[in-house]
Structure formats: structure tokens, C-alpha cells
């Protein structure tokens, strides 16, 4: 089961803006965007629910069901964090990442397959979560992504 436990936790929300020096992009810390790319509809719904309950810093969540739609959403939505499955109907998460020229997001793989972890970290993933997703592990991964974003801007 994807949702092994649900508990509402409040996390302090940072209220500061930062300027990304190289690209001169202003990032609003109150509007963190996250994209989930996975072909399993139940997982998409479950992850959205977990994020809404455990990660109040994430204010906008979009989903895509494969490599092609994922690339389209990355281009249009411009996520701060990407949760990416490995095996999908139209290719792999690695196929998707090979087509992203300059990733401007924190990458977290979420998959049922533990054998791809080393390959995932070669794409600069900050974490590798196994399904079913543990809410505590998800919360820690999102926290790590948010810290990385704040430290690089």
C-alpha cells in the first residue's frame, strides 16, 4: 500500500525570496512547484495526497504519465522538484533525463526497482525512494530538495 501511515505535520514555511545569481531568476519561496512523472495513476494520486499532508512547502503539484508528457510538463510548468519513476510505458526516467539539457530542478527517483539506484545518482538525483513510498522518507527527501534549492539561490 502506498500510504502506509498518514499524520499531519506542520513545517515552518520560509518567507523569503532569493535571486539565482547566474540566471537572474527570482524564486518565490512560498510557491514551490513539484512535478510527478509516473505511469501508475494510483501512485500519482497517492503521492499527491502524501505531499499535501506532509509537505506544506509544496504549493503546486502537476503530474505526467510518461516520458513525452513529462518533458512537455517540465518545459511548461518549470518544476522546482521532480519525482520521477524509472519504468514507464513510453520509456524510462533515464530516457527523459537524457533529453533535459540543463535541469533546473531537484531530482528524486520514486520506483519499485532497487537495481537502478546507481544509474539514478549518475543523473544527479538527490534521493531514490522505493515504492510503496514511506511518508517519512518522502518528507525527508523533499526537505533535502528544499534545502538544496535555498542553498543554490
Amino acid at each position: 500500500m502506498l500510504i502506509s501511515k498518514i499524520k499531519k505535520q506542520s513545517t515552518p514555511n520560509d518567507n523569503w525570496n532569493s535571486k539565482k545569481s547566474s540566471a537572474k531568476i527570482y524564486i518565490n519561496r512560498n510557491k514551490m512547484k513539484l512535478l510527478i512523472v509516473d505511469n501508475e495513476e494510483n501512485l500519482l494520486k497517492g503521492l499527491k495526497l502524501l505531499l499535501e499532508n506532509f509537505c506544506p512547502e509544496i504549493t503546486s503539484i502537476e503530474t505526467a504519465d510518461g516520458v513525452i508528457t513529462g518533458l512537455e510538463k517540465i518545459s511548461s510548468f518549470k518544476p522546482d522538484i521532480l519525482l520521477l519513476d524509472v519504468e514507464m510505458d513510453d520509456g524510462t526516467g533515464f530516457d527523459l533525463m537524457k533529453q533535459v539539457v540543463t535541469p533546473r530542478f531537484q531530482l528524486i527517483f520514486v520506483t519499485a526497482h532497487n537495481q537502478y539506484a546507481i544509474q539514478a545518482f549518475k543523473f544527479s538525483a538527490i534521493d531514490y525512494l522505493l515504492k510503496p513510498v514511506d511518508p517519512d522518507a518522502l518528507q525527508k527527501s523533499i526537505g533535502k530538495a528544499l534545502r538544496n534549492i535555498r542553498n543554490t539561490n
Side-chain angles (χ1 to χ4, degrees):
M1 180 176 199
L2 172 68
I3 304 170
S4 58
K5 58 182 174 176
I6 296 254
K7 60 182 176 182
K8 182 75 174 169
Q9 294 181 353
S10 62
T11 305
N13 197 359
D14 292 329
N15 290 323
W16 57 279
N17 290 334
S18 179
K19 182 177 172 182
K20 189 171 187 176
S21 60
S22 63
K24 302 205 190 255
I25 296 172
Y26 291 92
I27 296 184
N28 185 339
R29 294 290 161 222
N30 294 322
K31 297 189 187 252
M32 298 302 288
K33 300 187 299 184
L34 183 139
L35 174 62
I36 307 166
V37 181
D38 198 301
N39 63 324
E40 297 176 45
E41 178 134 358
N42 288 339
L43 181 96
L44 291 172
K45 289 177 184 177
L47 275 175
K48 260 184 116 165
L49 180 63
L50 287 174
L51 290 161
E52 290 166 358
N53 281 293
F54 291 98
C55 304
E57 306 90 350
I58 305 300
T59 57
S60 183
I61 302 170
E62 293 281 330
T63 62
D65 63 1
V67 174
I68 294 169
T69 57
L71 288 167
E72 291 168 357
K73 285 280 186 164
I74 288 169
S75 178
S76 63
F77 182 58
K78 300 186 183 351
D80 299 299
I81 301 169
L82 175 64
L83 299 184
L84 183 59
D85 190 13
V86 174
E87 293 184 2
M88 295 174 281
D89 297 334
D90 63 347
T92 69
F94 305 122
D95 296 332
L96 181 146
M97 289 305 299
K98 287 175 188 173
Q99 296 181 60
V100 177
V101 179
T102 307
R104 298 200 182 273
F105 48 78
Q106 296 292 302
L107 175 62
I108 301 169
F109 277 92
V110 180
T111 183
H113 308 282
N114 62 4
Q115 70 267 26
Y116 297 116
I118 292 172
Q119 192 173 357
F121 289 112
K122 289 181 181 178
F123 283 92
S124 299
I126 63 162
D127 213 340
Y128 191 90
L129 301 175
L130 291 174
K131 299 173 187 176
V133 177
D134 175 64
D136 292 329
L138 178 64
Q139 191 174 29
K140 287 177 185 173
S141 293
I142 297 298
K144 183 177 180 181
L146 293 172
R147 283 189 301 280
N148 288 348
I149 292 166
R150 290 176 184 130
N151 290 334
T152 58
N153 291 306

